Amino acid sequence: MKTILVVDDEPGIVQIARDYLDRAGFRVLMADDGPGALRLARTERPHLLVLDLMLPGMDGLDVTRALRQDQATRKLPIIMLTARVEEADRLIGLELGADDYMTKPFSPRELVARVRAVLRRTEDTPSPVALIQIGELSIDLERRIVRRNAITIDLTATEFDLLAVLAREPGRPFTRSQLLDLVFDLSYAGYDRTVDAHIKNLRRKIQPDPQGLQYIVTVYGVGYKCLEL
């Protein structure tokens, strides 16, 4: 049974999320503020965090930032909840390392579906091609490990899956819509910039020198492709 930590200061939302996730077979933990979310994430080690953006004591962005800076929780999948409709707010969460986001009010059934989709992306699944080598970059698909010059690079589940999709077919351009379908498993119509935010994070991690080898290339008017060597 996988554990989901739900964090929101609105008791009604927490209860609805708990009821639906519990019926879906998950163990559910709850917190109503930022410090409590951090404490439970570090002590209980949940498999996924459903995190409200506006929280007392410490907001969701600061919680996400703290979790991503902690070696023990930096890969914890995060679905961010927000009542804010501005695209900039959603992109800030994604750039900090959130794997997904939902705007309030939301469908509890969709929340369960997204939890399952994000968890699928974090599970180790065998692949016909176990290892991909692109320049100095080594991608172990089975163990979900990425290294550059033998140094391990910490990626979120979403970042790894984006890289894996692109690296499996180097040189092939993928549209943002294709990447949304292949990586996120759900319909994200109108949110193509979700991909851009994750690609930005991924590039920063795998190619820290902007003047060096560009592993992920922008195909203007189309989307992205992985460098073909």
Side-chain angles (χ1 to χ4, degrees), residues 84-110:
R84 298 176 178 176
V85 297
E86 290 82 2
E87 185 180 46
D89 292 317
R90 296 194 295 268
L91 292 177
I92 289 172
L94 292 171
E95 289 178 357
L96 286 175
D99 295 273
D100 193 4
Y101 62 84
M102 296 184 67
T103 55
K104 297 179 181 179
F106 61 88
S107 160
R109 291 187 177 88
E110 183 182 357

Side-chain angles (χ1 to χ4, degrees), residues 122 126 147 150 173 181-182 211 220:
T122 66
R147 293 187 176 95
D181 291 339
L182 291 168
Q211 305 303 318
Y220 293 99

Side-chain angles (χ1 to χ4, degrees), residues 17 23 33 36 39-40 48 67 89 95 103 120 142 167 202 205:
R23 285 201 292 267
D33 60 22
R39 184 175 62 255
L40 284 174
L48 184 143
L67 291 172
D89 292 317
E95 289 178 357
T103 55
R120 279 198 299 271
E142 186 170 347
L202 182 56
K205 293 179 180 180

Side-chain angles (χ1 to χ4, degrees), residues 187-202:
S187 174
Y188 281 71
Y191 296 130
D192 285 356
R193 289 193 65 189
T194 298
V195 172
D196 295 338
H198 287 296
I199 290 288
K200 179 181 177 181
N201 288 344
L202 182 56

Side-chain angles (χ1 to χ4, degrees), residues 35-53:
L38 274 181
R39 184 175 62 255
L40 284 174
R42 289 166 172 165
T43 58
E44 296 291 334
R45 300 291 180 87
H47 294 87
L48 184 143
L49 172 61
V50 177
L51 179 65
D52 185 29
L53 185 62

Side-chain angles (χ1 to χ4, degrees), residues 166 171-176 179 195-196 199-200 203 207 214-227:
L166 293 168
R172 173 191 167 183
F174 286 85
T175 67
R176 291 169 176 82
L179 291 172
V195 172
D196 295 338
I199 290 288
K200 179 181 177 181
R203 279 174 164 164
Q207 50 192 53
Q214 302 294 302
Y215 294 107
I216 299 177
V217 180
T218 300
V219 182
Y220 293 99
V222 180
Y224 300 98
K225 68 178 181 179
C226 188
L227 182 67

